[in-house]
Amino acid sequence: MARTVAHVIVDALKELGVGHVFGVVGDALNPLTDAIRTTEGLSWIGCRHEEAAAFAAGAQSQLSGTVGVCMGTVGPGSVHLLNGLYDAAKSRTPVLAICGQVPLAEIGSDYFQEVDNDLLFRDVAVFRATVTSPDQMPRMLESAVRAAVAQGGVAVLTVPGDLGDQALSEDRPARFALDRPVTRPDDPALAEAAELLNSAARVTLLVGRGARDARAEVLRTAELLAAPMVLTLKAKEGFEEDNAFQVGQTGLIGNPAAAHAFDSGDALLMLGTDFPYREWYPKDADVVQIDDRAEHLGRRVPVTVGLAGDVGATLRGLLPLLKAASDRAHLDDARKRFVHWQEGQRRLARPDHDRRSTGKVRAALDNRDHAIRPEALAAAVDAYADQDAVFTSDTGMATVWLSRFVTMSGTRRLIGSYNLGSMANAMPQALGAQLWAPDRQTVAFCGDGGLSMLLGDLMTIRTYRLPVKLVVFDNRRLGMVKLEQEQVGLPEFGTELDNPDFAALATALGITGIRVTDPAELHDSVRRAFDTPGPVVLDVLTNPEEMAVPGKPTVAQGWGFAVAKVKEALSGLGN
């Protein structure tokens, strides 16, 4: 007996190794969700919002390296997927979105809830198609999955409501050829790059996530060239621990050592990164860039030599051509600056830092609700979290504190909306991560604005009894926006948040809630959150005035901040 369209899709997902499908049930999806119901080894995860479903699927894809799957039903349900799918697309991770559609005969008639999915997803998807006949399966599904995997992106397959339960006239198993080629540049290009790097006196490395499978080759390159290694945020995972060359991040979340390593070098070697902030690149250095996407070469900074290929394969061809540097002063200076900066950061992470540095609590911190330093919270989480924990972080100040105070030691993993920069990603990504690895600790660094935006999916965490630890940096602010306003001389406006007691809210939902307002209780509270079985919301009231100084602050930023503070003070006087 021939299978239906729905069973062909669901059977293929199981063959691909997909364990979970995220979405909200309804109308056109009913044949698909019923097929999932009767398929052992594949679970339907009913979310409260399709955006959370797409974020969760993208998180599983990033962590597993396989296809993540989400579903949205006709019209609004599919529209709700968009933000999470854009995050997957910007993260270059394969996600299959299966979307419902009105009955086939009604397409194009402006039917109730009808949305043109092929048009809607045109910008976000590397593949999009609407099934119009059962006999297009499984061929159309195969094409969708191959496109998502080969191009590292989103594929959208639309299934009209009256097609899912129709049988194929000729049934066959789905077949996926998913091996991705490993390429490297030709020998003359490698020789040109080696000549440039060997002749440079001071080489700096910028290492991104695209180099994660080539750790040994990257470390050997840094050793030969005596090169300090600046890491992108996504390269913390895999390159931060046991690395005598790394000097942390650059950009607004970065530090002075990384900025100096850039500015003092005369050659920059970029490995698997598309770091977007052009103003932070060195101005007068020769640049060698290795990337598996040729179209990425030179689009952020002019390159002298561009090498299109896999980072590991390319470095294996380049390393025999490199000469060992005789002068290690550039590396030693950068590392010395980095260690000095880290020592200062550790002082900031002391819960009683403000008392120690002033001899008394500053007037602005007389209210104990405002006294907890976000640095201290991040450092405490780092101290008590498992060595194989999976971390997610909301865009904004939560990511700053994670980048500076959480070390990706052991087999820790890290994901976030680091390319799209969406709010509200940390909690739904943690949902997907916990289902991906149920025996590993999952920790979400949540901004109060981000958590409240998709707050409904706390109920998804409760429903599936996921032991996610949600750490809320509750400063009653959109903190990064506040900083952006003030550094250009604008007074804070529109950033204040009238938050609930997130711990009490969690308790009302059947989740353990812990609220921390006293610095003296911070470490015990963090320890208790990690020791408590099941999901926990750790709501920590942090200082809203605490800010992160970038690695290379400008006079204009300092002046702008001073002007903003004067304006805020005058506004407080009613002037």
Side-chain angles (χ1 to χ4, degrees):
M1 181 176 177
R3 294 174 298 164
T4 63
V5 168
H7 276 95
V8 167
I9 292 172
V10 170
D11 290 347
L13 296 181
K14 184 178 177 181
E15 288 296 318
L16 283 167
V18 175
H20 306 97
V21 177
F22 301 88
V24 178
V25 298
D27 46 71
L29 294 183
N30 288 336
L32 288 154
T33 52
D34 188 64
I36 293 172
R37 179 184 64 84
T38 58
T39 299
E40 189 174 345
L42 184 62
S43 298
W44 171 259
I45 306 299
C47 297
R48 299 305 179 105
H49 196 297
E50 288 91 351
E51 181 177 343
F55 270 123
Q60 287 204 341
S61 175
Q62 290 184 64
L63 291 166
S64 67
T66 59
V67 178
V69 182
C70 57
M71 292 188 183
T73 192
V74 179
S78 294
V79 173
H80 282 164
L81 292 171
L82 264 174
N83 195 52
L85 293 182
Y86 265 102
D87 185 78
K90 296 277 281 185
S91 299
R92 290 180 55 190
T93 198
V95 168
L96 173 65
I98 299 173
C99 296
Q101 186 54 281
V102 301
L104 193 60
E106 301 295 344
I107 293 178
S109 70
D110 195 22
Y111 197 73
F112 174 65
Q113 290 193 321
E114 182 182 2
V115 170
D116 186 344
N117 287 346
D118 294 340
L119 178 63
L120 175 69
F121 295 105
R122 182 175 64 179
D123 182 54
V124 72
V126 297
F127 176 96
R128 62 199 183 283
T130 298
V131 182
T132 58
S133 166
D135 291 332
Q136 291 175 307
M137 303 299 288
R139 174 170 42 87
M140 190 175 285
L141 175 65
E142 292 168 341
S143 295
V145 171
R146 288 191 195 112
V149 172
Q151 299 181 52
V154 172
V156 177
L157 190 66
T158 296
V159 182
D162 55 346
L163 277 185
D165 56 5
Q166 291 190 26
L168 280 64
S169 60
E170 295 184 14
D171 194 0
R172 67 168 175 83
R175 300 184 181 94
F176 301 98
L178 299 179
D179 287 340
R180 300 184 67 176
V182 175
T183 61
R184 49 150 280 188
D186 60 15
D187 291 342
L190 293 176
E192 183 182 4
E195 182 179 3
L196 187 155
L197 295 170
N198 287 334
S199 63
R202 299 175 302 279
V203 179
T204 298
L205 270 55
L206 175 61
V207 179
R209 189 178 180 89
R212 61 185 171 179
D213 294 328
R215 174 182 164 92
E217 291 88 347
V218 173
L219 292 177
R220 178 58 178 157
T221 301
E223 181 182 22
L224 276 175
L225 297 174
M229 185 187 302
V230 178
L231 304 178
T232 67
L233 179 59
K234 293 197 292 184
K236 275 173 67 74
E237 177 194 311
F239 286 100
E240 189 169 43
E241 188 182 28
D242 295 330
N243 185 348
F245 307 97
Q246 70 101 0
V247 293
Q249 282 79 62
T250 186
L252 289 175
I253 66 172
N255 69 79
H260 181 78
F262 267 10
D263 292 342
S264 61
D266 56 6
L268 176 68
L269 176 57
M270 298 172 60
L271 301 174
T273 177
D274 192 37
F275 182 74
Y277 305 106
R278 291 183 292 170
E279 64 272 22
W280 290 91
Y281 281 95
K283 299 297 186 291
D284 301 314
D286 288 318
V287 178
V288 176
Q289 183 178 4
I290 302 174
D291 199 288
D292 63 357
R293 291 197 169 190
E295 66 270 23
H296 286 186
L297 300 176
R299 77 170 178 173
R300 305 302 183 190
V301 63
V303 300
T304 310
V305 180
L307 302 174
D310 174 80
V311 172
T314 302
L315 287 181
R316 286 191 291 273
L318 182 63
L319 278 166
L321 306 177
L322 297 179
K323 299 176 181 177
S326 58
D327 186 352
R328 303 181 66 85
H330 180 53
L331 170 62
D332 293 343
D333 179 48
R335 285 287 298 176
K336 181 179 179 181
R337 290 170 184 265
F338 182 56
V339 170
H340 177 73
W341 177 79
Q342 286 183 307
E343 291 171 350
Q345 293 295 294
R346 281 192 287 271
R347 289 193 293 272
L348 289 176
R350 293 170 178 163
D352 62 346
H353 171 272
D354 297 299
R355 293 176 176 87
R356 295 171 67 100
S357 61
T358 64
K360 61 181 179 180
V361 181
R362 295 199 314 260
L365 297 180
D366 280 343
N367 182 347
R368 297 179 79 179
D369 282 359
H370 290 189
I372 298 175
R373 301 184 65 85
E375 300 97 329
L377 172 56
V381 171
D382 181 52
Y384 296 116
D386 291 345
Q387 289 301 292
D388 65 348
V390 180
F391 288 87
T392 68
S393 69
D394 270 334
T395 300
M397 298 308 296
T399 288
V400 175
W401 307 129
L402 181 144
S403 73
R404 294 187 174 187
F405 294 97
V406 176
T407 302
M408 290 296 110
S409 53
T411 56
R412 288 176 171 179
R413 301 292 304 273
L414 173 63
I415 56 173
S417 186
Y418 301 141
N419 291 83
L420 180 63
S422 173
M423 285 183 65
N425 62 282
M427 182 265 287
Q429 286 183 327
L431 189 163
Q434 190 70 84
L435 284 162
W436 170 72
D439 296 329
R440 291 174 68 166
Q441 192 179 73
T442 300
V443 184
F445 271 47
C446 299
D448 45 3
L451 179 64
S452 57
M453 185 177 281
L454 285 177
L455 198 57
D457 274 281
L458 277 179
M459 291 179 278
T460 306
I461 289 174
R462 181 200 65 187
T463 296
Y464 293 96
R465 297 175 176 83
L466 303 177
V468 174
K469 311 305 179 188
L470 303 172
V471 180
V472 187
F473 287 75
D474 189 352
N475 64 356
R476 288 76 67 208
R477 293 293 193 281
L478 298 175
M480 185 63 81
V481 180
K482 176 180 184 292
L483 183 60
E484 291 167 352
Q485 291 174 348
E486 291 176 339
Q487 72 177 4
V488 295
L490 298 175
E492 178 186 5
F493 178 76
T495 64
E496 295 188 28
L497 301 174
D498 184 14
N499 288 337
D501 180 332
F502 288 111
L505 185 61
T507 301
L509 293 174
I511 294 173
T512 300
I514 301 172
R515 187 170 173 91
V516 189
T517 62
D518 187 343
E521 299 174 357
L522 178 62
H523 276 258
D524 285 344
S525 298
V526 172
R527 187 187 299 111
R528 179 157 61 97
F530 286 132
D531 289 343
T532 300
V536 176
V537 172
L538 179 66
D539 183 16
V540 182
L541 271 66
T542 56
N543 177 12
E545 297 302 324
E546 189 65 18
M547 66 175 187
V549 179
K552 191 169 58 175
T554 66
V555 173
Q557 288 171 332
W559 177 249
F561 186 77
V563 170
K565 286 302 177 185
V566 171
K567 290 179 180 178
E568 289 168 6
L570 292 174
S571 177
L573 294 173
N575 187 341

